[in-house]
Protein backbone atom coordinates (compact mmCIF):
# COMPACT_ATOMS: atom_id res chain seq x y z
CA UNK A 1 0.00 0.00 0.00
CA UNK A 2 1.22 3.50 -0.70
CA UNK A 3 2.09 5.31 2.46
CA UNK A 4 2.74 9.05 2.69
CA UNK A 5 3.28 10.27 6.24
CA UNK A 6 1.91 13.63 7.37
CA UNK A 7 4.28 16.38 8.51
CA UNK A 8 3.35 17.00 12.12
CA UNK A 9 3.68 20.42 13.70
CA UNK A 10 3.60 19.01 17.19
CA UNK A 11 6.55 20.49 19.02
CA UNK A 12 7.59 17.62 21.20
CA UNK A 13 7.52 15.20 18.25
CA UNK A 14 10.13 17.08 16.22
CA UNK A 15 12.88 15.31 18.09
CA UNK A 16 11.30 11.98 17.22
CA UNK A 17 11.04 12.78 13.55
CA UNK A 18 14.62 14.00 13.53
CA UNK A 19 15.86 10.85 15.27
CA UNK A 20 14.06 8.38 13.01
CA UNK A 21 14.89 7.82 9.38
CA UNK A 22 12.70 9.65 6.84
CA UNK A 23 9.51 7.96 5.78
CA UNK A 24 9.12 6.12 2.52
CA UNK A 25 6.22 4.44 0.81
CA UNK A 26 5.34 1.18 2.49
CA UNK A 27 4.40 -2.04 0.71
CA UNK A 28 0.76 -2.48 -0.05
CA UNK A 29 -1.15 0.13 -1.16
CA UNK A 30 -13.72 -13.05 -17.18
CA UNK A 31 -15.66 -16.20 -17.54
CA UNK A 32 -16.63 -17.82 -14.24
CA UNK A 33 -16.71 -21.60 -14.08
CA UNK A 34 -19.96 -23.35 -13.14
CA UNK A 35 -20.66 -24.56 -9.61
CA UNK A 36 -19.41 -28.13 -9.75
CA UNK A 37 -16.94 -28.44 -6.88
CA UNK A 38 -18.08 -29.36 -3.36
CA UNK A 39 -17.52 -27.06 -0.41
CA UNK A 40 -14.01 -27.43 0.93
CA UNK A 41 -13.90 -28.36 4.62
CA UNK A 42 -10.29 -28.58 5.86
CA UNK A 43 -9.24 -31.24 8.36
CA UNK A 44 -8.57 -30.13 11.94
CA UNK A 45 -4.92 -29.12 12.52
CA UNK A 46 -2.69 -31.42 14.53
CA UNK A 47 -0.40 -29.77 17.12
CA UNK A 48 2.75 -31.53 15.92
CA UNK A 49 1.98 -32.01 12.24
CA UNK A 50 -0.18 -29.35 10.53
CA UNK A 51 -1.94 -30.70 7.45
CA UNK A 52 -0.41 -30.02 4.03
CA UNK A 53 -1.87 -27.55 1.56
CA UNK A 54 -4.82 -29.08 -0.25
CA UNK A 55 -5.37 -28.60 -3.98
CA UNK A 56 -8.77 -28.16 -5.57
CA UNK A 57 -9.84 -27.01 -9.07
CA UNK A 58 -11.50 -23.62 -9.33
CA UNK A 59 -15.30 -23.50 -9.40
CA UNK A 60 -18.00 -20.95 -8.73
CA UNK A 61 -18.95 -20.90 -5.06
CA UNK A 62 -21.73 -18.88 -3.48
CA UNK A 63 -21.30 -18.54 0.30
CA UNK A 64 -24.15 -18.75 2.74
CA UNK A 65 -25.15 -15.30 3.94
CA UNK A 66 -25.01 -15.51 7.71
CA UNK A 67 -25.26 -12.34 9.74
CA UNK A 68 -23.22 -12.28 12.91
CA UNK A 69 -25.47 -11.39 15.81
CA UNK A 70 -24.35 -9.09 18.63
CA UNK A 71 -21.95 -10.99 20.85
CA UNK A 72 -21.75 -10.97 24.64
CA UNK A 73 -18.33 -9.42 25.20
CA UNK A 74 -18.16 -10.84 28.72
CA UNK A 75 -18.15 -14.44 27.50
CA UNK A 76 -16.85 -14.39 23.90
CA UNK A 77 -13.26 -15.68 23.79
CA UNK A 78 -10.57 -14.89 21.24
CA UNK A 79 -10.54 -18.53 20.19
CA UNK A 80 -14.29 -18.43 19.51
CA UNK A 81 -14.02 -15.12 17.67
CA UNK A 82 -11.34 -16.41 15.31
CA UNK A 83 -13.17 -19.71 14.74
CA UNK A 84 -16.19 -17.71 13.56
CA UNK A 85 -14.31 -15.86 10.81
CA UNK A 86 -14.91 -17.01 7.23
CA UNK A 87 -13.02 -14.39 5.22
CA UNK A 88 -12.05 -10.77 5.89
CA UNK A 89 -11.69 -7.61 3.80
CA UNK A 90 -9.65 -4.44 4.43
CA UNK A 91 -10.97 -0.93 3.82
CA UNK A 92 -7.50 0.06 2.66
CA UNK A 93 -6.12 3.44 1.55
CA UNK A 94 -9.22 5.14 2.90
CA UNK A 95 -9.41 6.24 6.52
CA UNK A 96 -5.70 5.45 6.66
CA UNK A 97 -4.82 7.88 3.83
CA UNK A 98 -2.00 10.05 5.05
CA UNK A 99 -0.74 12.92 2.91
CA UNK A 100 1.77 15.67 3.64
CA UNK A 101 -0.73 18.40 2.74
CA UNK A 102 -3.15 17.52 5.55
CA UNK A 103 -3.53 20.17 8.23
CA UNK A 104 -5.96 21.26 10.93
CA UNK A 105 -8.29 22.67 8.27
CA UNK A 106 -8.48 19.47 6.20
CA UNK A 107 -12.03 18.15 6.05
CA UNK A 108 -13.01 14.61 6.93
CA UNK A 109 -13.84 13.97 3.27
CA UNK A 110 -10.44 15.24 2.14
CA UNK A 111 -8.72 12.97 4.62
CA UNK A 112 -10.78 9.97 3.51
CA UNK A 113 -10.41 10.42 -0.24
CA UNK A 114 -6.78 11.49 -0.58
CA UNK A 115 -5.83 8.05 -1.93
CA UNK A 116 -9.19 6.83 -3.28
CA UNK A 117 -11.64 8.90 -5.29
CA UNK A 118 -14.87 7.81 -3.62
CA UNK A 119 -16.20 8.23 -0.11
CA UNK A 120 -17.12 4.93 1.50
CA UNK A 121 -20.88 4.34 1.47
CA UNK A 122 -23.19 2.09 3.42
CA UNK A 123 -23.97 0.37 0.10
CA UNK A 124 -20.28 -0.53 -0.19
CA UNK A 125 -20.35 -2.13 3.25
CA UNK A 126 -23.56 -4.00 2.44
CA UNK A 127 -22.03 -5.38 -0.77
CA UNK A 128 -18.93 -6.59 1.07
CA UNK A 129 -21.10 -8.51 3.52
CA UNK A 130 -23.35 -9.83 0.74
CA UNK A 131 -20.32 -11.28 -1.05
CA UNK A 132 -19.58 -13.44 1.99
CA UNK A 133 -16.94 -11.47 3.87
CA UNK A 134 -17.89 -11.59 7.54
CA UNK A 135 -15.02 -9.53 8.93
CA UNK A 136 -13.98 -6.02 7.93
CA UNK A 137 -10.71 -4.46 9.04
CA UNK A 138 -10.88 -0.68 9.21
CA UNK A 139 -7.37 0.85 9.09
CA UNK A 140 -7.32 4.38 10.52
CA UNK A 141 -4.55 6.97 10.69
CA UNK A 142 -5.11 9.11 13.76
CA UNK A 143 -2.11 11.45 13.83
CA UNK A 144 -3.54 13.47 10.93
CA UNK A 145 -6.55 14.32 13.09
CA UNK A 146 -5.01 15.28 16.45
CA UNK A 147 -3.95 18.55 18.06
CA UNK A 148 -0.79 19.35 19.99
CA UNK A 149 -2.13 17.47 23.01
CA UNK A 150 -3.00 14.36 21.01
CA UNK A 151 -6.74 15.06 21.23
CA UNK A 152 -8.57 13.36 18.36
CA UNK A 153 -10.93 15.54 16.32
CA UNK A 154 -14.57 14.82 17.12
CA UNK A 155 -15.63 14.84 13.45
CA UNK A 156 -12.96 12.29 12.56
CA UNK A 157 -13.98 10.01 15.42
CA UNK A 158 -17.61 10.33 14.31
CA UNK A 159 -16.76 9.28 10.75
CA UNK A 160 -14.84 6.25 12.01
CA UNK A 161 -17.81 5.35 14.21
CA UNK A 162 -20.21 5.69 11.28
CA UNK A 163 -18.35 3.07 9.23
CA UNK A 164 -17.96 0.81 12.27
CA UNK A 165 -21.71 1.06 12.88
CA UNK A 166 -22.58 0.27 9.27
CA UNK A 167 -20.36 -2.80 9.40
CA UNK A 168 -21.95 -4.09 12.58
CA UNK A 169 -25.44 -3.29 11.25
CA UNK A 170 -24.94 -5.59 8.24
CA UNK A 171 -23.73 -8.40 10.48
CA UNK A 172 -19.94 -8.31 10.24
CA UNK A 173 -17.21 -8.39 12.82
CA UNK A 174 -14.95 -5.33 12.92
CA UNK A 175 -11.19 -4.95 13.44
CA UNK A 176 -10.26 -1.32 14.24
CA UNK A 177 -6.65 -0.19 14.41
CA UNK A 178 -4.04 2.55 14.26
CA UNK A 179 -2.37 2.72 10.83
CA UNK A 180 0.59 4.68 9.40
CA UNK A 181 1.14 6.18 12.87
CA UNK A 182 4.61 4.74 13.38
CA UNK A 183 6.30 8.14 13.70
CA UNK A 184 4.34 8.90 16.86
CA UNK A 185 5.12 5.45 18.31
CA UNK A 186 8.90 5.12 17.68
CA UNK A 187 10.52 1.91 18.88
CA UNK A 188 13.96 3.19 19.88
CA UNK A 189 15.02 3.54 23.50
CA UNK A 190 15.68 7.28 23.21
CA UNK A 191 12.06 7.98 22.31
CA UNK A 192 10.07 5.48 24.34
CA UNK A 193 8.77 8.18 26.68
CA UNK A 194 7.17 9.86 23.66
CA UNK A 195 5.86 6.55 22.31
CA UNK A 196 4.24 5.47 25.55
CA UNK A 197 2.68 8.91 26.08
CA UNK A 198 1.21 9.00 22.57
CA UNK A 199 -0.02 5.42 22.56
CA UNK A 200 -1.75 5.84 25.89
CA UNK A 201 -3.37 9.13 24.81
CA UNK A 202 -4.60 7.80 21.45
CA UNK A 203 -5.90 4.46 22.68
CA UNK A 204 -7.54 5.84 25.82
CA UNK A 205 -9.71 8.03 23.58
CA UNK A 206 -10.55 5.34 21.01
CA UNK A 207 -11.27 2.72 23.65
CA UNK A 208 -13.43 5.03 25.75
CA UNK A 209 -15.42 6.14 22.72
CA UNK A 210 -16.27 2.52 21.82
CA UNK A 211 -16.34 1.10 25.36
CA UNK A 212 -20.03 0.09 25.20
CA UNK A 213 -19.82 -1.83 21.91
CA UNK A 214 -20.43 -5.58 21.93
CA UNK A 215 -17.90 -8.34 21.33
CA UNK A 216 -17.97 -8.11 17.53
CA UNK A 217 -15.67 -5.06 17.75
CA UNK A 218 -11.98 -5.84 18.22
CA UNK A 219 -9.13 -3.35 18.60
CA UNK A 220 -5.69 -3.80 16.97
CA UNK A 221 -3.09 -1.77 18.85
CA UNK A 222 -0.58 -1.18 16.06
CA UNK A 223 -0.40 -1.94 12.33
CA UNK A 224 3.15 -2.73 11.19
CA UNK A 225 5.24 -1.20 13.99
CA UNK A 226 8.81 -0.65 12.81
CA UNK A 227 11.51 1.95 12.16
CA UNK A 228 11.46 3.29 8.61
CA UNK A 229 14.43 3.04 6.24
CA UNK A 230 16.50 0.74 8.43
CA UNK A 231 18.29 -2.43 7.29
CA UNK A 232 16.03 -4.72 9.33
CA UNK A 233 12.77 -2.85 8.63
CA UNK A 234 11.22 -5.85 6.87
CA UNK A 235 13.34 -8.63 8.34
CA UNK A 236 12.28 -8.51 11.98
CA UNK A 237 13.88 -5.38 13.37
CA UNK A 238 16.56 -5.18 16.05
CA UNK A 239 16.52 -6.66 19.58
CA UNK A 240 15.98 -3.14 20.93
CA UNK A 241 12.98 -2.52 18.69
CA UNK A 242 11.41 -5.90 19.34
CA UNK A 243 11.75 -5.46 23.10
CA UNK A 244 10.20 -2.00 22.95
CA UNK A 245 7.33 -3.28 20.82
CA UNK A 246 6.56 -5.81 23.55
CA UNK A 247 6.36 -2.87 25.97
CA UNK A 248 3.96 -0.98 23.71
CA UNK A 249 1.78 -4.06 23.13
CA UNK A 250 1.47 -4.47 26.90
CA UNK A 251 0.67 -0.77 27.34
CA UNK A 252 -2.04 -1.04 24.67
CA UNK A 253 -3.73 -3.90 26.54
CA UNK A 254 -3.45 -2.13 29.90
CA UNK A 255 -4.77 1.16 28.48
CA UNK A 256 -7.83 -0.42 26.90
CA UNK A 257 -8.65 -2.44 30.01
CA UNK A 258 -8.38 0.70 32.18
CA UNK A 259 -11.23 2.38 30.26
CA UNK A 260 -13.67 -0.10 31.78
CA UNK A 261 -17.13 -0.93 30.49
CA UNK A 262 -17.13 -3.64 27.85
CA UNK A 263 -13.41 -3.02 27.35
CA UNK A 264 -12.67 -4.97 30.49
CA UNK A 265 -13.53 -8.06 28.41
CA UNK A 266 -12.97 -6.95 24.82
CA UNK A 267 -10.83 -9.07 22.49
CA UNK A 268 -7.62 -7.28 21.46
CA UNK A 269 -5.02 -7.91 18.74
CA UNK A 270 -1.27 -7.31 18.98
CA UNK A 271 1.31 -7.61 16.16
CA UNK A 272 4.85 -8.86 15.86
CA UNK A 273 7.51 -6.41 14.66
CA UNK A 274 6.09 -5.03 11.35
CA UNK A 275 3.40 -7.74 11.77
CA UNK A 276 6.08 -9.91 10.19
CA UNK A 277 6.15 -13.68 9.82
CA UNK A 278 9.95 -13.73 9.88
CA UNK A 279 11.23 -16.19 12.44
CA UNK A 280 12.99 -13.66 14.66
CA UNK A 281 9.96 -11.34 14.77
CA UNK A 282 7.66 -14.15 15.85
CA UNK A 283 10.09 -15.78 18.29
CA UNK A 284 10.90 -12.53 20.11
CA UNK A 285 7.24 -11.55 20.36
CA UNK A 286 5.90 -11.70 23.93
CA UNK A 287 2.16 -12.07 24.42
CA UNK A 288 1.02 -9.37 26.88
CA UNK A 289 -0.25 -10.38 30.27
CA UNK A 290 -3.97 -9.77 30.64
CA UNK A 291 -6.61 -9.51 33.33
CA UNK A 292 -8.89 -12.00 31.57
CA UNK A 293 -8.17 -15.30 29.86
CA UNK A 294 -8.27 -15.93 26.09
CA UNK A 295 -8.91 -12.40 24.90
CA UNK A 296 -5.74 -11.77 22.84
CA UNK A 297 -5.03 -12.49 19.16
CA UNK A 298 -1.72 -12.21 17.29
CA UNK A 299 -1.85 -10.11 14.10
CA UNK A 300 0.34 -11.18 11.18
CA UNK A 301 0.71 -9.85 7.62
CA UNK A 302 2.15 -11.83 4.71
CA UNK A 303 2.43 -11.20 0.97
CA UNK A 304 4.13 -14.28 -0.45
CA UNK A 305 5.80 -15.28 -2.63
CA UNK A 306 7.19 -11.75 -2.82
CA UNK A 307 7.93 -11.82 -6.57
CA UNK A 308 4.35 -12.85 -7.33
CA UNK A 309 2.31 -11.16 -4.62
CA UNK A 310 3.91 -7.79 -3.97
CA UNK A 311 7.10 -6.95 -5.82
CA UNK A 312 6.81 -3.97 -8.18
CA UNK A 313 9.14 -2.62 -10.83
CA UNK A 314 10.38 -4.25 -14.01
CA UNK A 315 12.68 -6.86 -12.50
CA UNK A 316 12.99 -10.13 -14.47
CA UNK A 317 12.43 -11.92 -11.15
CA UNK A 318 8.78 -10.84 -11.06
CA UNK A 319 6.36 -13.75 -11.48
CA UNK A 320 3.13 -13.08 -13.40
CA UNK A 321 1.81 -16.64 -13.06
CA UNK A 322 1.26 -18.55 -9.85
CA UNK A 323 3.46 -21.61 -9.46
CA UNK A 324 2.24 -23.89 -6.63
CA UNK A 325 5.77 -25.25 -6.35
CA UNK A 326 6.64 -21.93 -4.67
CA UNK A 327 4.00 -22.32 -1.98
CA UNK A 328 6.68 -22.87 0.67
CA UNK A 329 7.10 -19.08 0.63
CA UNK A 330 3.95 -18.93 2.75
CA UNK A 331 3.56 -22.49 4.04
CA UNK A 332 6.90 -22.43 5.88
CA UNK A 333 6.35 -19.21 7.88
CA UNK A 334 2.72 -20.06 8.55
CA UNK A 335 3.67 -23.49 9.87
CA UNK A 336 6.10 -21.78 12.22
CA UNK A 337 3.39 -19.36 13.31
CA UNK A 338 1.17 -22.35 13.97
CA UNK A 339 3.82 -24.00 16.13
CA UNK A 340 4.59 -20.80 18.07
CA UNK A 341 1.05 -19.56 18.58
CA UNK A 342 -1.94 -21.63 17.45
CA UNK A 343 -0.65 -24.92 18.87
CA UNK A 344 -0.11 -23.04 22.16
CA UNK A 345 -3.75 -21.86 22.20
CA UNK A 346 -2.85 -18.35 21.01
CA UNK A 347 -5.20 -17.43 18.11
CA UNK A 348 -3.83 -15.79 14.95
CA UNK A 349 -5.47 -13.67 12.25
CA UNK A 350 -3.64 -12.90 9.01
CA UNK A 351 -4.82 -9.31 9.00
CA UNK A 352 -3.30 -8.49 5.60
CA UNK A 353 -2.65 -10.70 2.57
CA UNK A 354 -3.16 -10.47 -1.17
CA UNK A 355 -1.54 -10.49 -4.59
CA UNK A 356 -1.43 -7.37 -6.74
CA UNK A 357 -2.91 -7.26 -10.24
CA UNK A 358 -0.48 -8.03 -13.06
CA UNK A 359 -3.28 -8.57 -15.57
CA UNK A 360 -4.10 -12.24 -14.98
CA UNK A 361 -7.16 -12.79 -12.81
CA UNK A 362 -7.34 -16.57 -13.06
CA UNK A 363 -3.81 -17.15 -11.78
CA UNK A 364 -4.39 -14.74 -8.89
CA UNK A 365 -7.56 -16.67 -8.05
CA UNK A 366 -5.59 -19.90 -7.99
CA UNK A 367 -3.03 -18.34 -5.63
CA UNK A 368 -5.80 -16.92 -3.45
CA UNK A 369 -7.41 -20.32 -3.11
CA UNK A 370 -4.13 -22.03 -2.26
CA UNK A 371 -3.11 -19.39 0.29
CA UNK A 372 -6.42 -19.07 2.10
CA UNK A 373 -7.18 -22.79 2.19
CA UNK A 374 -3.74 -23.55 3.62
CA UNK A 375 -3.97 -20.80 6.24
CA UNK A 376 -7.45 -21.98 7.15
CA UNK A 377 -6.17 -25.55 7.57
CA UNK A 378 -3.95 -24.10 10.31
CA UNK A 379 -6.92 -22.28 11.89
CA UNK A 380 -5.67 -18.87 10.69
CA UNK A 381 -8.35 -16.82 8.89
CA UNK A 382 -7.26 -14.32 6.25
CA UNK A 383 -8.15 -10.68 5.54
CA UNK A 384 -7.58 -9.48 1.95
CA UNK A 385 -5.85 -6.10 1.55
CA UNK A 386 -8.14 -4.06 -0.75
CA UNK A 387 -6.65 -0.62 -1.42
CA UNK A 388 -9.28 0.42 -3.96
CA UNK A 389 -6.91 0.22 -6.95
CA UNK A 390 -7.97 -2.18 -9.73
CA UNK A 391 -5.71 -1.48 -12.71
CA UNK A 392 -2.67 -3.45 -13.77
CA UNK A 393 0.28 -2.36 -11.64
CA UNK A 394 2.45 0.11 -13.54
CA UNK A 395 4.93 2.91 -13.11
CA UNK A 396 3.83 6.50 -12.59
CA UNK A 397 5.72 9.74 -12.06
CA UNK A 398 5.63 9.10 -8.32
CA UNK A 399 6.63 5.42 -8.57
CA UNK A 400 4.97 2.04 -9.04
CA UNK A 401 1.42 1.57 -7.84
CA UNK A 402 0.13 -1.42 -5.91
CA UNK A 403 -3.18 -2.75 -7.20
CA UNK A 404 -4.93 -4.96 -4.66
CA UNK A 405 -8.47 -3.68 -5.21
CA UNK A 406 -11.30 -6.20 -5.56
CA UNK A 407 -14.35 -3.97 -5.04
CA UNK A 408 -14.99 -1.11 -7.45
CA UNK A 409 -16.38 1.28 -4.86
CA UNK A 410 -17.75 3.72 -7.46
CA UNK A 411 -19.97 1.12 -9.15
CA UNK A 412 -20.24 -1.11 -6.08
CA UNK A 413 -19.39 -4.16 -8.15
CA UNK A 414 -16.57 -6.70 -7.92
CA UNK A 415 -13.77 -5.98 -10.38
CA UNK A 416 -12.40 -9.52 -9.96
CA UNK A 417 -15.28 -11.89 -9.16
CA UNK A 418 -13.17 -14.97 -9.85
CA UNK A 419 -10.84 -14.00 -7.01
CA UNK A 420 -13.73 -13.31 -4.65
CA UNK A 421 -15.22 -16.71 -5.47
CA UNK A 422 -11.87 -18.40 -4.87
CA UNK A 423 -11.51 -16.69 -1.50
CA UNK A 424 -14.97 -17.78 -0.42
CA UNK A 425 -14.50 -21.35 -1.57
CA UNK A 426 -11.17 -21.63 0.19
CA UNK A 427 -12.52 -20.03 3.37
CA UNK A 428 -15.57 -22.24 3.44
Amino acid sequence: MKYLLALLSIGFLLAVLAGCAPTVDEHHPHVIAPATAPLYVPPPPQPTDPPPMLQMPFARFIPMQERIAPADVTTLTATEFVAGIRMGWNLGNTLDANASHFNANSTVQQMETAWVSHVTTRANIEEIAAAGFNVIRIPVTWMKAVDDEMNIRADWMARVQEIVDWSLDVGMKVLLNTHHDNTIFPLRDAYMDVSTHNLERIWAQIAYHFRDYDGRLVFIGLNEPRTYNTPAEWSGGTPEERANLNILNQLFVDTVRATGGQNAYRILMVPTYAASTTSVAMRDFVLPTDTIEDRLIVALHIYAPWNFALRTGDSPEIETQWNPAQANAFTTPLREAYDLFVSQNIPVIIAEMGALNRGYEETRAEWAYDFVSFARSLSMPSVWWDNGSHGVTQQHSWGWDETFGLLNRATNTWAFPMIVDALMRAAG
Side-chain angles (χ1 to χ4, degrees):
M1 123 205 54
K2 296 288 180 194
Y3 289 47
L4 296 173
L5 292 173
L7 298 177
L8 298 180
S9 59
I10 306 171
F12 68 85
L13 286 180
L14 292 178
V16 177
L17 296 175
C20 297
T23 305
V24 295
D25 292 342
E26 303 178 19
H27 70 278
H28 319 321
H30 303 242
V31 176
I32 301 174
T36 58
L39 176 64
Y40 167 63
V41 179
Q46 301 299 315
T48 58
D49 185 21
M53 181 176 64
L54 300 179
Q55 297 291 332
M56 188 174 185
F58 177 81
R60 174 76 174 177
F61 173 70
I62 305 297
M64 294 185 299
Q65 305 303 318
E66 297 179 359
R67 293 173 58 90
I68 296 174
D72 184 352
V73 73
T74 66
T75 59
L76 180 66
T77 67
T79 300
E80 292 167 340
F81 182 92
V82 171
I85 295 176
R86 177 193 301 121
M87 185 68 210
W89 184 91
N90 273 276
L91 183 65
N93 281 20
T94 308
L95 300 183
D96 58 308
N98 196 1
S100 59
H101 62 265
F102 289 155
N103 55 52
N105 296 319
S106 297
T107 67
V108 167
Q109 181 170 334
Q110 287 171 335
M111 292 193 291
E112 181 175 343
T113 59
W115 292 351
V116 292
S117 57
H118 297 277
V119 171
T120 305
T121 66
R122 183 183 177 103
N124 292 153
I125 303 302
E126 291 172 344
E127 178 57 33
I128 293 160
F133 296 93
N134 67 351
V135 168
I136 182 170
R137 181 169 176 257
I138 303 177
V140 181
T141 297
W142 301 92
M143 70 179 187
K144 65 188 179 187
V146 297
D147 63 16
D148 290 352
E149 301 300 322
M150 285 288 153
N151 296 308
I152 300 170
R153 281 171 46 173
D155 58 350
W156 185 244
M157 185 72 83
R159 176 56 174 159
V160 173
Q161 178 184 339
E162 184 174 40
I163 296 178
V164 169
D165 288 346
W166 289 343
S167 302
L168 295 173
D169 286 347
V170 300
M172 287 195 289
K173 300 178 180 181
V174 175
L175 311 178
L176 180 64
N177 78 343
T178 62
H179 212 91
H180 306 327
D181 285 332
N182 285 335
T183 53
I184 63 173
F185 309 130
L187 295 176
R188 290 178 172 163
D189 290 344
Y191 307 112
M192 280 299 286
D193 57 339
V194 174
S195 296
T196 54
H197 172 272
N198 292 343
L199 188 144
E200 189 170 17
R201 284 287 299 130
I202 293 294
W203 269 111
Q205 294 172 78
I206 301 170
Y208 189 83
H209 187 86
F210 292 99
R211 70 198 293 264
D212 295 325
Y213 278 60
D214 69 71
R216 294 172 298 168
L217 176 61
V218 167
F219 300 148
I220 311 176
L222 298 163
N223 173 49
E224 292 173 347
R226 66 193 192 279
T227 304
Y228 298 116
N229 289 347
T230 55
E233 180 179 1
W234 296 114
S235 59
T238 65
E240 171 191 344
E241 293 167 328
R242 295 191 295 272
N244 286 332
L245 174 59
N246 289 330
I247 292 172
L248 294 185
N249 280 337
Q250 183 67 61
L251 178 60
F252 160 66
V253 172
D254 294 342
T255 300
V256 173
R257 296 285 181 250
T259 59
Q262 304 280 51
N263 289 336
Y265 310 92
R266 188 171 310 284
I267 296 167
L268 306 174
M269 290 179 63
V270 284
T272 59
Y273 183 91
S276 174
T277 57
T278 57
S279 184
V280 67
M282 293 193 292
R283 291 184 179 277
D284 279 6
F285 169 88
V286 176
L287 190 73
T289 59
D290 201 359
T291 56
I292 187 167
E293 186 178 359
D294 196 7
R295 294 299 196 280
L296 301 180
I297 300 170
V298 175
L300 298 176
H301 298 177
I302 180 169
Y303 296 82
W306 175 265
N307 288 332
F308 176 81
L310 185 57
R311 186 169 184 168
T312 58
D314 53 8
S315 169
E317 296 181 7
I318 286 177
E319 303 281 350
T320 61
Q321 300 293 317
W322 167 230
N323 180 1
Q326 299 175 346
N328 64 314
F330 58 78
T331 61
T332 297
L334 292 184
R335 285 182 185 276
E336 183 172 17
Y338 176 91
D339 291 338
L340 291 172
F341 305 127
V342 180
S343 71
Q344 305 302 312
N345 298 316
I346 302 171
V348 170
I349 294 177
I350 302 172
E352 284 188 23
M353 48 72 65
L356 53 74
N357 179 27
R358 304 187 194 278
Y360 306 95
E361 180 181 5
E362 184 171 0
T363 198
R364 292 171 74 206
E366 292 170 351
W367 172 88
Y369 179 85
D370 288 350
F371 182 99
V372 172
S373 60
F374 179 79
R376 181 176 172 81
S377 76
L378 302 183
S379 300
M380 300 179 198
S382 303
V383 187
W384 181 279
W385 175 255
D386 189 321
N387 64 355
S389 182
H390 321 109
V392 176
T393 185
Q394 59 184 308
Q395 189 173 21
H396 301 268
S397 59
W398 42 264
W400 288 81
D401 57 5
E402 294 174 351
T403 53
F404 289 95
L406 297 181
L407 180 68
N408 183 326
R409 302 180 199 176
T411 63
N412 210 29
T413 58
W414 296 99
F416 301 102
M418 186 179 289
I419 297 174
V420 176
D421 290 337
L423 292 173
M424 294 307 156
R425 253 190 343 105

